[in-house]
Amino acid sequence: SPSLKFFNSSFKVSNETVNQDYLLQRINSQVFKEVPQLMNNMMSVTNYIRSKLVGSAEVSQTCDTIT
């Protein structure tokens, strides 16, 4: 039986100028029917977690979500 994948494709993008890597993922709209709502939820969760970690000694780098 075929396996169900959440993401169609994942790509690692490296910016050697600033020594930064990015992970780009294409959402499978056959699995996630409401992609704009999904992205809004991801942003909300990311912002909530970031707000809890601001000023924490455990945070060593900044993570951004791009929609």
Side-chain angles (χ1 to χ4, degrees):
S1 73
S3 64
L4 183 63
K5 295 184 180 180
F6 291 128
F7 298 99
N8 286 334
S9 305
S10 295
F11 304 92
K12 178 182 176 185
V13 179
S14 298
N15 182 336
E16 295 176 3
T17 304
V18 293
N19 196 26
Q20 185 84 31
D21 292 335
Y22 301 93
L23 177 63
L24 303 179
Q25 294 179 314
R26 183 181 346 190
I27 301 291
N28 183 340
S29 61
Q30 297 300 310
V31 175
F32 297 104
K33 301 292 185 186
E34 308 265 343
V35 174
Q37 186 176 19
L38 171 70
M39 296 309 297
N40 187 50
N41 288 344
M42 289 176 66
M43 288 294 297
S44 296
V45 169
T46 300
N47 290 335
Y48 175 79
I49 293 170
R50 183 180 290 123
S51 75
K52 297 299 178 185
L53 295 176
V54 169
S56 170
E58 297 174 19
V59 178
S60 62
Q61 62 183 353
T62 302
C63 297
D64 292 318
T65 301
I66 302 170
T67 60

Coordinates of all heavy atoms in Angstrom, one line a residue:
S1 N 0.8 -1.2 0.0 CA 0.0 0.0 0.0 C 0.9 1.2 0.0 O 1.9 1.3 0.7 CB -0.9 0.0 1.2 OG -0.2 0.3 2.4
P2 N 0.5 2.3 -0.7 CA 1.3 3.5 -0.8 C 1.3 4.2 0.6 O 0.3 4.2 1.3 CB 0.6 4.3 -1.9 CG -0.7 3.8 -2.0 CD -0.7 2.4 -1.5
S3 N 2.4 4.8 0.9 CA 2.5 5.5 2.2 C 2.0 6.9 2.0 O 2.1 7.5 0.9 CB 4.0 5.6 2.7 OG 4.8 6.3 1.8
L4 N 1.4 7.5 3.0 CA 0.8 8.8 2.9 C 1.8 9.8 3.5 O 2.3 9.6 4.6 CB -0.5 8.9 3.8 CG -1.2 10.2 3.8 CD1 -1.7 10.5 2.4 CD2 -2.4 10.1 4.8
K5 N 2.2 10.8 2.7 CA 3.2 11.7 3.1 C 2.6 13.1 3.4 O 1.7 13.5 2.7 CB 4.3 11.9 2.1 CG 5.1 10.6 1.9 CD 6.2 10.9 0.9 CE 7.0 9.6 0.7 NZ 8.1 9.8 -0.2
F6 N 3.0 13.7 4.5 CA 2.4 15.0 4.8 C 2.9 16.1 3.9 O 2.2 17.0 3.6 CB 2.7 15.4 6.2 CG 2.0 14.5 7.3 CD1 2.8 13.9 8.3 CD2 0.7 14.3 7.2 CE1 2.1 13.1 9.2 CE2 0.0 13.5 8.1 CZ 0.8 12.9 9.1
F7 N 4.1 16.0 3.4 CA 4.7 17.1 2.6 C 5.0 16.4 1.2 O 5.5 15.3 1.2 CB 5.9 17.7 3.2 CG 5.7 18.4 4.5 CD1 5.9 17.7 5.7 CD2 5.1 19.6 4.5 CE1 5.7 18.4 6.9 CE2 4.9 20.3 5.7 CZ 5.2 19.7 6.9
N8 N 4.7 17.1 0.2 CA 5.1 16.6 -1.2 C 6.6 16.6 -1.3 O 7.2 15.6 -1.8 CB 4.5 17.5 -2.3 CG 3.1 17.3 -2.5 OD1 2.5 16.3 -2.2 ND2 2.4 18.3 -2.9
S9 N 7.2 17.7 -1.0 CA 8.7 17.8 -1.2 C 9.3 18.7 -0.1 O 8.7 19.6 0.4 CB 8.9 18.5 -2.6 OG 8.3 17.9 -3.6
S10 N 10.6 18.4 0.2 CA 11.4 19.1 1.1 C 12.7 19.5 0.4 O 13.2 18.7 -0.3 CB 11.6 18.4 2.4 OG 10.5 18.1 3.1
F11 N 13.1 20.7 0.7 CA 14.3 21.2 0.1 C 15.2 21.9 1.1 O 14.7 22.7 1.9 CB 14.0 22.3 -1.1 CG 13.1 21.7 -2.1 CD1 11.7 21.9 -2.0 CD2 13.6 21.0 -3.2 CE1 10.9 21.4 -3.0 CE2 12.8 20.6 -4.2 CZ 11.4 20.7 -4.1
K12 N 16.4 21.6 1.1 CA 17.4 22.3 2.0 C 18.1 23.4 1.1 O 18.6 23.1 0.1 CB 18.4 21.4 2.6 CG 19.4 22.1 3.4 CD 20.5 21.2 3.9 CE 21.6 21.9 4.7 NZ 22.7 21.0 5.1
V13 N 18.0 24.6 1.6 CA 18.6 25.8 0.9 C 19.7 26.3 1.8 O 19.4 26.6 3.0 CB 17.6 26.9 0.6 CG1 18.2 28.0 -0.2 CG2 16.4 26.3 -0.3
S14 N 20.9 26.4 1.3 CA 22.0 26.9 2.1 C 22.4 28.3 1.5 O 22.6 28.5 0.3 CB 23.2 26.0 2.0 OG 22.8 24.7 2.6
N15 N 22.6 29.2 2.5 CA 23.2 30.5 2.1 C 24.6 30.6 2.7 O 24.7 30.9 3.9 CB 22.3 31.7 2.6 CG 22.8 33.0 2.3 OD1 24.0 33.2 2.0 ND2 21.9 34.0 2.3
E16 N 25.6 30.3 1.9 CA 26.9 30.3 2.4 C 27.5 31.7 2.8 O 28.4 31.7 3.6 CB 27.9 29.6 1.4 CG 27.5 28.2 1.2 CD 28.3 27.5 0.1 OE1 29.2 28.2 -0.5 OE2 28.0 26.4 -0.2
T17 N 26.9 32.7 2.3 CA 27.4 34.1 2.6 C 27.2 34.4 4.1 O 28.0 35.0 4.7 CB 26.6 35.1 1.8 OG1 26.8 34.8 0.4 CG2 27.1 36.5 2.1
V18 N 26.0 33.9 4.7 CA 25.7 34.2 6.1 C 25.7 32.9 6.9 O 25.3 32.9 8.1 CB 24.4 34.9 6.2 CG1 24.5 36.3 5.7 CG2 23.3 34.2 5.6
N19 N 26.2 31.8 6.3 CA 26.2 30.5 7.0 C 24.9 30.1 7.6 O 24.8 29.8 8.8 CB 27.4 30.5 8.0 CG 27.7 29.1 8.4 OD1 27.5 28.1 7.7 ND2 28.2 29.0 9.7
Q20 N 23.8 30.2 6.8 CA 22.5 29.9 7.2 C 21.8 28.9 6.3 O 22.0 28.9 5.1 CB 21.7 31.2 7.2 CG 20.3 31.1 7.8 CD 20.2 31.2 9.3 OE1 21.0 31.9 9.8 NE2 19.3 30.5 9.9
D21 N 21.2 27.9 6.9 CA 20.4 26.9 6.1 C 18.9 27.1 6.4 O 18.5 27.5 7.4 CB 20.8 25.5 6.6 CG 22.2 25.1 6.2 OD1 22.8 25.7 5.2 OD2 22.8 24.2 6.9
Y22 N 18.1 26.8 5.3 CA 16.7 26.9 5.4 C 16.1 25.6 4.9 O 16.6 24.9 4.1 CB 16.2 28.0 4.5 CG 16.8 29.4 4.9 CD1 17.9 29.8 4.3 CD2 16.2 30.1 5.9 CE1 18.4 31.1 4.6 CE2 16.7 31.4 6.2 CZ 17.8 31.8 5.6 OH 18.4 33.0 5.9
L23 N 14.9 25.2 5.5 CA 14.2 24.1 5.0 C 12.9 24.6 4.4 O 12.1 25.2 5.1 CB 13.9 23.1 6.2 CG 13.0 21.9 5.9 CD1 13.7 21.0 4.9 CD2 12.6 21.2 7.2
L24 N 12.7 24.3 3.2 CA 11.5 24.6 2.4 C 10.7 23.4 2.2 O 11.2 22.4 1.8 CB 11.8 25.3 1.1 CG 12.7 26.5 1.1 CD1 12.9 27.0 -0.4 CD2 12.1 27.6 1.9
Q25 N 9.4 23.5 2.5 CA 8.5 22.3 2.4 C 7.2 22.7 1.6 O 6.6 23.8 1.9 CB 8.1 21.7 3.7 CG 9.3 21.1 4.4 CD 9.0 20.5 5.7 OE1 8.3 21.2 6.5 NE2 9.5 19.3 6.0
R26 N 6.9 21.9 0.6 CA 5.6 22.1 -0.1 C 4.5 21.3 0.6 O 4.7 20.1 0.8 CB 5.8 21.7 -1.5 CG 4.6 21.9 -2.4 CD 4.7 21.5 -3.8 NE 6.1 21.2 -4.1 CZ 6.6 20.9 -5.3 NH1 5.7 20.9 -6.3 NH2 7.8 20.6 -5.5
I27 N 3.5 21.9 1.0 CA 2.4 21.3 1.7 C 1.5 20.4 0.7 O 1.2 20.9 -0.4 CB 1.4 22.3 2.3 CG1 2.2 23.2 3.3 CG2 0.3 21.7 3.0 CD1 2.7 22.5 4.5
N28 N 1.2 19.2 1.1 CA 0.3 18.4 0.3 C -1.1 18.8 0.5 O -1.7 18.5 1.5 CB 0.6 16.9 0.7 CG -0.2 16.0 -0.2 OD1 -1.2 16.3 -0.8 ND2 0.2 14.7 -0.2
S29 N -1.7 19.5 -0.5 CA -3.1 20.0 -0.3 C -4.1 18.8 -0.4 O -5.3 19.1 -0.1 CB -3.4 21.0 -1.4 OG -3.2 20.5 -2.7
Q30 N -3.7 17.6 -0.8 CA -4.6 16.5 -0.8 C -4.8 16.0 0.7 O -5.8 15.4 1.0 CB -4.1 15.4 -1.6 CG -4.0 15.7 -3.1 CD -5.4 16.1 -3.7 OE1 -6.3 15.4 -3.5 NE2 -5.4 17.3 -4.3
V31 N -3.7 16.2 1.5 CA -3.8 15.8 2.9 C -4.3 17.0 3.8 O -5.2 16.8 4.6 CB -2.4 15.4 3.4 CG1 -2.4 15.1 4.9 CG2 -1.9 14.2 2.7
F32 N -3.8 18.2 3.5 CA -4.2 19.4 4.3 C -5.1 20.2 3.4 O -4.6 20.9 2.5 CB -2.9 20.2 4.7 CG -2.0 19.5 5.6 CD1 -0.8 18.9 5.2 CD2 -2.4 19.3 7.0 CE1 0.0 18.2 6.0 CE2 -1.5 18.6 7.8 CZ -0.3 18.1 7.4
K33 N -6.4 20.1 3.6 CA -7.3 20.7 2.7 C -7.4 22.2 2.8 O -7.8 22.9 1.9 CB -8.7 20.1 2.9 CG -8.8 18.6 2.7 CD -8.6 18.3 1.2 CE -8.8 16.8 1.0 NZ -8.5 16.4 -0.3
E34 N -7.1 22.7 4.0 CA -7.2 24.2 4.3 C -5.8 24.7 4.5 O -5.4 25.1 5.7 CB -8.1 24.4 5.6 CG -9.4 23.7 5.5 CD -10.5 24.6 5.0 OE1 -10.3 25.8 5.0 OE2 -11.6 24.1 4.6
V35 N -5.0 24.8 3.5 CA -3.6 25.2 3.6 C -3.4 26.6 4.2 O -2.6 26.8 5.1 CB -2.9 25.1 2.2 CG1 -1.5 25.7 2.3 CG2 -2.8 23.7 1.8
P36 N -4.2 27.7 3.8 CA -4.1 29.0 4.5 C -4.3 28.9 6.0 O -3.6 29.5 6.8 CB -5.1 29.9 3.8 CG -5.2 29.2 2.4 CD -5.2 27.7 2.7
Q37 N -5.3 28.1 6.4 CA -5.6 28.0 7.8 C -4.5 27.2 8.6 O -4.1 27.6 9.7 CB -6.9 27.3 8.0 CG -7.4 27.2 9.5 CD -8.8 26.5 9.6 OE1 -9.2 25.8 8.7 NE2 -9.4 26.8 10.7
L38 N -3.9 26.2 7.9 CA -2.8 25.5 8.5 C -1.6 26.4 8.7 O -1.0 26.4 9.7 CB -2.4 24.3 7.5 CG -1.1 23.6 7.9 CD1 -1.3 22.8 9.1 CD2 -0.7 22.7 6.7
M39 N -1.3 27.3 7.7 CA -0.2 28.2 7.8 C -0.4 29.2 8.9 O 0.5 29.6 9.7 CB 0.1 28.9 6.5 CG 0.5 27.9 5.4 SD 1.9 26.8 5.9 CE 3.2 27.9 6.2
N40 N -1.7 29.7 9.0 CA -2.0 30.6 10.1 C -1.8 29.9 11.5 O -1.2 30.5 12.4 CB -3.4 31.1 10.0 CG -3.8 32.1 11.0 OD1 -3.1 33.1 11.1 ND2 -4.9 31.9 11.7
N41 N -2.2 28.7 11.6 CA -2.0 27.9 12.9 C -0.5 27.8 13.2 O 0.0 27.9 14.3 CB -2.6 26.6 12.8 CG -4.2 26.7 12.9 OD1 -4.7 27.7 13.3 ND2 -4.8 25.6 12.5
M42 N 0.3 27.5 12.1 CA 1.8 27.3 12.3 C 2.4 28.6 12.8 O 3.2 28.6 13.7 CB 2.4 26.8 11.0 CG 2.1 25.4 10.7 SD 2.8 24.9 9.1 CE 4.5 25.0 9.4
M43 N 2.0 29.7 12.2 CA 2.5 31.0 12.7 C 2.1 31.3 14.1 O 2.9 31.8 14.9 CB 2.0 32.1 11.7 CG 2.6 32.1 10.4 SD 4.4 32.5 10.4 CE 4.3 34.2 11.0
S44 N 0.8 31.0 14.5 CA 0.4 31.2 15.8 C 1.2 30.4 16.8 O 1.6 30.9 17.9 CB -1.1 30.9 15.9 OG -1.9 31.7 15.2
V45 N 1.4 29.2 16.5 CA 2.2 28.3 17.4 C 3.6 28.8 17.5 O 4.2 28.9 18.6 CB 2.1 26.8 17.0 CG1 3.1 26.0 17.7 CG2 0.7 26.3 17.1
T46 N 4.2 29.1 16.4 CA 5.6 29.6 16.4 C 5.7 30.9 17.2 O 6.6 31.1 18.0 CB 6.0 29.9 14.9 OG1 6.0 28.6 14.2 CG2 7.5 30.4 14.9
N47 N 4.8 31.8 17.0 CA 4.8 33.1 17.8 C 4.6 32.9 19.3 O 5.3 33.5 20.1 CB 3.8 34.1 17.2 CG 4.1 34.6 15.9 OD1 5.3 34.6 15.5 ND2 3.1 35.0 15.1
Y48 N 3.7 31.9 19.6 CA 3.5 31.6 21.0 C 4.8 31.1 21.7 O 5.2 31.5 22.7 CB 2.3 30.6 21.2 CG 2.1 30.2 22.6 CD1 1.5 31.0 23.5 CD2 2.6 29.0 23.1 CE1 1.3 30.6 24.8 CE2 2.5 28.6 24.4 CZ 1.8 29.4 25.3 OH 1.7 29.0 26.6
I49 N 5.4 30.1 21.0 CA 6.6 29.5 21.6 C 7.7 30.5 21.6 O 8.4 30.6 22.6 CB 7.0 28.3 20.7 CG1 6.0 27.1 20.8 CG2 8.4 27.8 21.1 CD1 6.2 26.0 19.9
R50 N 7.8 31.4 20.6 CA 8.9 32.4 20.6 C 8.6 33.3 21.8 O 9.6 33.7 22.5 CB 8.9 33.2 19.3 CG 10.0 34.2 19.3 CD 10.0 35.0 17.9 NE 10.4 34.2 16.9 CZ 9.7 33.9 15.8 NH1 8.6 34.4 15.6 NH2 10.2 33.1 14.8
S51 N 7.4 33.7 22.1 CA 7.1 34.6 23.2 C 7.5 34.0 24.5 O 7.9 34.7 25.4 CB 5.6 35.0 23.2 OG 4.8 34.0 23.7
K52 N 7.4 32.7 24.7 CA 7.8 32.0 25.9 C 9.3 31.9 26.0 O 9.8 31.8 27.2 CB 7.1 30.6 26.0 CG 5.6 30.7 26.0 CD 5.1 31.4 27.2 CE 3.6 31.5 27.3 NZ 3.2 32.4 28.4
L53 N 10.0 31.9 24.9 CA 11.4 31.7 25.0 C 12.2 33.0 25.0 O 13.4 33.0 25.2 CB 11.9 30.9 23.7 CG 11.4 29.4 23.7 CD1 11.8 28.7 22.4 CD2 11.9 28.6 24.9
V54 N 11.6 34.1 24.7 CA 12.3 35.4 24.6 C 13.0 35.6 26.0 O 12.4 35.5 27.0 CB 11.3 36.5 24.3 CG1 12.0 37.9 24.5 CG2 10.8 36.4 22.9
G55 N 14.3 35.9 25.9 CA 15.0 36.2 27.1 C 15.5 34.9 27.8 O 16.3 35.0 28.8
S56 N 15.2 33.8 27.3 CA 15.6 32.5 27.9 C 17.1 32.2 27.5 O 17.5 32.4 26.4 CB 14.7 31.4 27.4 OG 15.3 30.1 27.8
A57 N 17.8 31.8 28.5 CA 19.2 31.4 28.2 C 19.3 30.2 27.3 O 20.4 30.0 26.7 CB 19.9 31.1 29.5
E58 N 18.2 29.5 27.2 CA 18.2 28.3 26.3 C 18.1 28.6 24.8 O 18.4 27.7 24.0 CB 17.1 27.4 26.7 CG 17.1 26.8 28.1 CD 15.9 26.1 28.5 OE1 15.1 25.6 27.6 OE2 15.7 25.9 29.7
V59 N 17.8 29.8 24.5 CA 17.6 30.2 23.1 C 19.0 30.6 22.6 O 19.5 31.6 23.0 CB 16.6 31.3 22.9 CG1 16.5 31.7 21.5 CG2 15.2 30.9 23.5
S60 N 19.5 29.9 21.6 CA 20.8 30.2 21.1 C 20.7 30.8 19.7 O 21.7 31.4 19.2 CB 21.7 29.0 21.1 OG 21.1 28.0 20.2
Q61 N 19.6 30.7 19.0 CA 19.5 31.3 17.7 C 18.0 31.6 17.4 O 17.1 31.1 18.1 CB 20.0 30.3 16.6 CG 19.2 29.0 16.6 CD 19.8 28.1 15.5 OE1 20.7 28.4 14.8 NE2 19.4 26.8 15.5
T62 N 17.8 32.5 16.5 CA 16.5 32.9 16.1 C 16.0 32.0 15.0 O 16.7 31.7 14.0 CB 16.5 34.4 15.6 OG1 17.0 35.2 16.6 CG2 15.1 34.8 15.2
C63 N 14.7 31.5 15.1 CA 14.1 30.7 14.1 C 12.9 31.5 13.5 O 12.1 32.1 14.3 CB 13.6 29.4 14.7 SG 14.9 28.4 15.3
D64 N 12.8 31.5 12.2 CA 11.7 32.3 11.6 C 10.8 31.3 10.8 O 11.3 30.4 10.2 CB 12.2 33.4 10.7 CG 12.8 34.5 11.5 OD1 12.3 34.9 12.5 OD2 13.9 35.0 11.1
T65 N 9.6 31.6 10.7 CA 8.7 30.9 9.8 C 8.2 31.8 8.7 O 7.8 32.9 9.0 CB 7.4 30.4 10.6 OG1 7.8 29.6 11.7 CG2 6.5 29.6 9.7
I66 N 8.4 31.4 7.5 CA 8.0 32.2 6.4 C 6.9 31.5 5.7 O 6.9 30.3 5.4 CB 9.2 32.3 5.4 CG1 10.4 32.9 6.1 CG2 8.8 33.1 4.1 CD1 11.7 32.8 5.3
T67 N 5.8 32.3 5.4 CA 4.6 31.8 4.7 C 4.5 32.4 3.4 O 5.0 33.4 3.1 CB 3.3 32.0 5.6 OG1 3.2 33.4 5.7 CG2 3.4 31.3 6.9

